DNA sequence: TTGAAAGCGCTAACAT
DNA sequence: ATGTTAGCGCTTTCAA
């Protein structure tokens, strides 16, 4: 900036004013300064600019589990859109489900003086964020609630979605309903199983008769679990899958054995309507998760005193899949 | 930091050393400083730290078209992984296919002093990056080559992939082959059509007999285009689709009319193996695009004199889809 | 409307 | 091993 000032024959401060579009600079000088900037290839240093003024960095951070997963990348895209409206950049980082890395990333982003933080918590203790929150950094938790401290949170109505899906199976007459899930030590999966269990109990069915915790969301492993379930003495006539990857594993297995077992699952997804197996899935507005989280960050940035907010995104049931001519919707065994 | 120094009864510089893990500080002082840091809730300011030292910002930027698109989010995830290995954060921003926004984002990121930039160019002129490159910022273009200046580039072998796919259809005896594409003013689509055209010409077939530029990648619109193609006087016996969204649109239409037209398309995708229509798709390593781009950024960061690098990621053919019992692989009309 | 001086929070260079 | 001083590139006083 000093060089530009010298080249333009003005003071450093005038250059600063021009760089910040301060209106009280004479057009002639503005012109001269612009020319000098161009010639020298001047580029203002953002960090230095923010240093003295203590202004915000115009950056918010997002820590998700895995950017390659469409669920999380959709959240990121929606959050980025809100950020853009606030003239803010979004830094997205993946924790890879590693609590230590989640913490590292969060603290690194705070050191970069982000104006806010959105986190999908993976560890079982977010209390390390206490100092940051006290310092005034807005922190919002999305998809899973925090542990060890309280904070603004945006969740899916996992429990109710699972209840609805299972109720649908019950309404259709099914009583022997399998429940296949990923590891239950994650909040979302635990909630979904809780919802399914509640509904089964309410209907007088045994919620544990056909329950498998696959412990991974690998479709092949889930498919194998489904195979085992169907080969057992009293196989279920319908299966509820805890997420879409388990659901596709189940579909593969059911197609393989040309089974007509009724299928339901959590998560809607692209191409679900094209899969050759009819099913009922629990849909929800994934973008809303990212949008609401980002909006909360900016709201709290403006008013740090407001009460804690908890959003719960609603779910709905959708019929998906096409019938490839298998004996679907077979009569459930009543009783 | 001054406060910490006072609280610990040491000089500012000692605090700085402790913050940077400089080994030549006596354990007793380290302990005292750490305690003071904790009590005051001290947090070092990253920007200020980098300011004087002129060190890198440990950040690289990635500008893609749309984070919600799995293709781009996969690139982002792979790039982020490489960045992490270099103790660097990745800022991902979506241009939304808007050239003006691409430029804005790129310059904003440069102002933030990113250590490198990866761009999926959407505009037809990237010469605005000249000053940045001259200043020493490594810039890598991915998925599409830059226009208006030269630079390190990572591309998919679009042309060859399309050739292979069409050749497969030709080998199977098809001569009347439809080509359905998105807008041809994007590099990738133009290359794919060029490849298809080359192969059709080489086989003595008319490359323009059944060609439709849908001009969007909306599946429904693509499906309608396919419908029109099949309702024409001399319908093709096989169709090559320029990308996976057009391909799924075609599948929906073909399923609807229980047509057995042979299908091939560019892009492999999740669940393709489960779709109820047999097809041949052009696969490639999407993660490699992100990985190679990021690696190029860091390589050029270390050695700005190396010659321009152009990587071309290979493609391969895969059979996807399941047969729902339609009259597929019907005998093509020979001649 | 323009400019000079001080200082943001930290690190580099040079003492001690 | 520790402290002192200058200064990164900019913005904010405050003065002209």
């Amino acid at each position: 900036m000093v060089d530009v000032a010298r080249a333009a024959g003005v003071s450093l401060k005038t250059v600063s004013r021009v760089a910040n579009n301060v209106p009280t600079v004479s057009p002639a000088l503005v012109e001269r300064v612009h020319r000098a900037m161009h010639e020298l290839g001047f580029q203002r240093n953002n960090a230095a600019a923010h240093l003295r003024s203590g202004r915000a960095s115009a950056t918010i951070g997002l820590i998700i589990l895995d950017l390659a997963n469409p669920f999380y990348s959709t959240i990121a895209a929606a959050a980025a859109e809100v950020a853009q409206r606030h003239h803010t950049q979004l830094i997205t980082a993946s924790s890879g489900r590693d609590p230590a890395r989640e913490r590292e990333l969060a603290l690194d982003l705070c050191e970069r003086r982000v104006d806010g933080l959105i986190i999908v918590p993976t560890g079982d203790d977010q209390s390390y964020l206490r100092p940051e929150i006290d310092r005034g950094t807005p922190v919002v938790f999305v998809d899973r609630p925090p542990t060890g401290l309280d904070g603004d949170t945006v969740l899916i109505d996992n429990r109710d979605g699972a209840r609805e899906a299972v109720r649908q199976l019950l309404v259709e007459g099914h009583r022997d309903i399998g429940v296949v899930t990923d590891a239950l030590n994650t909040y979302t999966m635990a909630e979904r199983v809780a919802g399914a269990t509640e509904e089964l109990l309410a209907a007088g069915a045994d919620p544990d008769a056909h329950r498998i915790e696959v412990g991974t969301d690998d479709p092949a492993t889930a498919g194998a679990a489904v195979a085992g379930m169907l080969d057992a003495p009293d196989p279920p006539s319908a299966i509820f899958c805890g997420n879409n990857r388990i659901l596709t594993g189940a579909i593969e297995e059911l197609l393989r054995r040309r089974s007509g077992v009724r299928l339901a699952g959590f998560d809607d997804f692209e191409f679900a309507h094209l899969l050759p197996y009819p099913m009922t899935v629990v849909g929800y507005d994934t973008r809303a998760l990212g949008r609401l989280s980002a909006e909360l960050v900016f709201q709290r940035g403006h008013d740090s005193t407001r009460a804690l907010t908890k959003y719960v995104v609603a779910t709905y049931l959708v019929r998906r899949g096409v019938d490839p001519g298998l004996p679907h919707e077979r009569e459930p065994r009543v009783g």
Side-chain angles (χ1 to χ4, degrees), chain A:
Chain A
M1 225 178 216
V2 184
D3 300 338
V4 174
R6 193 172 16 242
V10 297
S11 82
L12 188 160
K13 179 61 215 180
T14 302
V15 179
S16 166
R17 281 195 253 262
V18 171
N20 291 306
N21 295 315
V22 173
T24 66
V25 183
S26 79
L29 282 194
V30 172
E31 173 58 25
R32 279 223 317 267
V33 171
H34 271 144
R35 196 189 311 284
M37 281 176 165
H38 246 88
E39 266 164 27
L40 298 184
F42 169 79
Q43 195 189 45
R44 171 236 233 124
N45 183 324
N46 211 283
H50 289 347
L51 186 53
R52 172 62 212 251
S53 61
R55 261 183 316 163
S57 62
T59 313
I60 64 174
L62 169 65
I63 300 177
I64 56 183
L65 304 192
D66 175 17
L67 189 52
N69 183 324
F71 174 69
Y72 296 112
S73 67
T74 302
I75 290 177
E81 219 166 81
V82 174
Q84 187 196 327
R85 279 206 290 279
H86 290 260
H87 306 287
T88 294
Q89 290 293 349
L90 180 76
I91 298 191
T92 308
S94 298
S95 66
R97 296 182 170 73
D98 175 357
R101 185 149 168 69
E102 168 197 323
R103 186 192 156 124
E104 255 173 47
L105 287 172
L107 296 178
D108 178 294
L109 289 171
C110 288
E111 210 171 74
R112 285 162 191 266
R113 291 293 191 271
V114 290
D115 306 331
L117 213 44
I118 304 172
I119 303 185
V120 179
T122 185
D124 56 359
D125 177 25
Q126 277 70 46
S127 62
Y128 64 87
L129 286 167
R130 174 91 284 149
E132 309 304 333
I133 295 175
D134 290 344
R135 198 176 286 117
T137 308
V139 178
V140 175
F141 299 93
V142 62
D143 191 45
R144 306 172 178 192
T147 315
L149 87 173
D150 215 359
D152 291 325
T153 311
V154 182
L155 303 172
I156 298 170
D157 199 341
N158 292 287
R159 191 178 290 239
D160 200 60
R163 290 188 62 139
E164 277 192 51
V166 169
R167 189 179 314 140
Q168 173 64 30
L169 298 177
L170 288 163
V171 162
E172 291 172 15
H174 297 276
R175 281 296 171 278
D176 297 300
I177 299 179
V179 176
V180 186
T181 70
D182 196 343
L184 291 180
N185 57 2
T186 64
Y187 168 81
T188 42
M189 210 46 69
E191 281 292 301
R192 292 171 193 182
V193 166
T197 300
E198 283 172 20
E199 199 63 26
L200 288 170
L201 280 176
D206 178 3
D208 301 322
H210 317 275
R211 223 182 75 191
I212 301 188
E213 180 183 348
V214 178
T216 161
D217 69 347
D218 172 53
T221 313
V226 167
M229 188 180 268
L230 295 179
D231 288 336
D234 285 303
S237 65
I239 296 178
F240 171 69
C241 300
N243 67 33
N244 56 9
R245 291 179 55 85
I246 288 175
L247 183 69
T248 55
I251 290 176
E252 291 187 60
E253 179 61 27
L254 296 179
L255 284 175
R256 186 172 304 121
R257 49 173 74 200
R258 309 189 77 75
S259 162
V261 164
R262 182 81 175 84
L263 213 49
F266 217 100
D267 306 323
D268 194 7
F269 51 100
E270 208 186 353
F271 306 137
H273 65 291
L274 273 178
L275 297 196
Y277 203 97
M279 54 198 160
T280 299
V281 298
V282 180
Y284 47 84
D285 186 354
T286 309
R287 293 185 52 85
L289 289 173
R291 184 168 41 75
L292 292 170
S293 312
E295 280 167 357
L296 274 180
V297 162
F298 288 109
Q299 281 168 23
R300 192 157 291 284
H302 291 135
D303 170 16
S304 60
T305 63
R306 54 174 294 174
L308 284 188
T309 306
K310 307 222 184 275
Y311 284 126
V312 177
V313 173
T315 61
Y316 48 84
L317 291 188
V318 216
R319 283 280 187 157
R320 293 295 188 205
V322 295
D323 195 322
L326 297 179
H328 289 296
E329 307 291 336
R330 81 170 185 213
E331 216 49 40
R333 289 171 304 161
V334 178

